[in-house]
Amino acid sequence: GIKHYNDGDWSTAEEQFKRAIQLNAEDTQAHFQLGKLYEDLQMPDLARTQYLLAIQGDIPAATNNLARLNILQKKDYPAAVSLLLKTLESEQQQPLDPQTKHAVLKNLGWARLLQKNYPEAEAKLQEAIDLESTPKFDREAIADTHCLMAQVMEAQGNKKDALPNWKICNQNANITIPEHDEWAAIAQKRLKPQEPGK
């Protein structure tokens, strides 16, 4: 299923993940992969169901993705924050890989931004940005943190420090991801040279 998913053959991937679940309903990794597939297919309700099942297997990335759906779809920021904080607390027993920790910190910063808790949003996003020096880091993840950090800087009235973040946001955004497309459009407006007298 994962191979077909990575190859872009999503219908076969879905069949394979469902087959794995038929053979073992408690296969939390199959539920997680099916949730990711449904999220890519813009089917958030189906993705949410699969992530809830995957969480039973203590898959931090599933908890992170469920929190992200709470931010995007439900606008339930307290629920997202609760899930993300629990994931960070669980790191004492099971260390998170840098990519997952980065995503958790980014989403926590995002939720705090939307709650207008700018100091904590900035702190969590900075923690995420500090992880970006890890080798082979995902460029899309870099776009997320900088797009959000630019918004935090602007919300705090710091347009000067927002600009370099908007630049990184614009350079790395993947416009096939809905929030990236929105953030890249804002970045392009902010980076557009101002006409004299404006």
Side-chain angles (χ1 to χ4, degrees), residues 20-174:
I21 292 165
Q22 282 177 340
L23 294 171
N24 178 7
E26 295 178 13
D27 184 343
T28 53
Q29 195 57 238
H31 285 292
F32 172 61
Q33 295 298 331
L34 188 55
K36 282 179 28 181
L37 174 66
Y38 285 145
E39 194 172 348
D40 285 343
L41 292 170
Q42 304 295 313
M43 302 167 123
D45 293 335
L46 293 175
R48 181 182 308 284
T49 300
Q50 296 304 317
Y51 290 149
L52 284 166
L53 293 166
I55 285 172
Q56 305 307 313
D58 293 323
I59 299 175
T63 307
N64 175 69
N65 289 7
L66 181 60
R68 182 176 171 276
L69 285 178
N70 281 339
I71 293 168
L72 277 171
Q73 302 294 323
K74 292 197 167 218
K75 313 288 187 220
D76 189 348
Y77 313 129
V81 167
S82 176
L83 287 167
L84 296 164
L85 289 175
K86 285 178 187 168
T87 303
L88 289 174
E89 287 171 13
S90 72
E91 189 177 24
Q92 294 166 355
Q93 290 87 33
Q94 177 186 355
L96 299 172
D97 65 85
Q99 201 78 35
T100 301
K101 185 170 185 177
H102 180 273
V104 169
L105 290 166
K106 180 267 297 182
N107 285 330
L108 186 52
W110 189 5
R112 291 304 195 196
L113 165 64
L114 295 169
Q115 290 178 318
K116 299 186 182 354
N117 183 343
Y118 304 126
E120 188 170 348
E122 181 178 354
K124 295 306 175 192
L125 290 169
Q126 189 57 55
E127 278 185 66
I129 289 168
D130 291 343
L131 291 172
E132 291 172 6
S133 59
T134 306
K136 297 182 183 175
F137 209 82
D138 181 3
R139 301 300 293 174
E140 288 177 11
I142 291 171
D144 283 337
T145 50
H146 289 279
C147 295
L148 292 165
M149 184 63 92
Q151 293 173 63
V152 169
M153 293 290 121
E154 282 190 359
Q156 297 179 102
N158 188 349
K159 291 185 179 181
K160 182 180 175 216
D161 286 340
L163 282 176
N165 284 292
W166 281 127
K167 186 174 182 181
I168 295 169
C169 168
N170 190 48
Q171 289 170 339
N172 295 287
N174 175 352

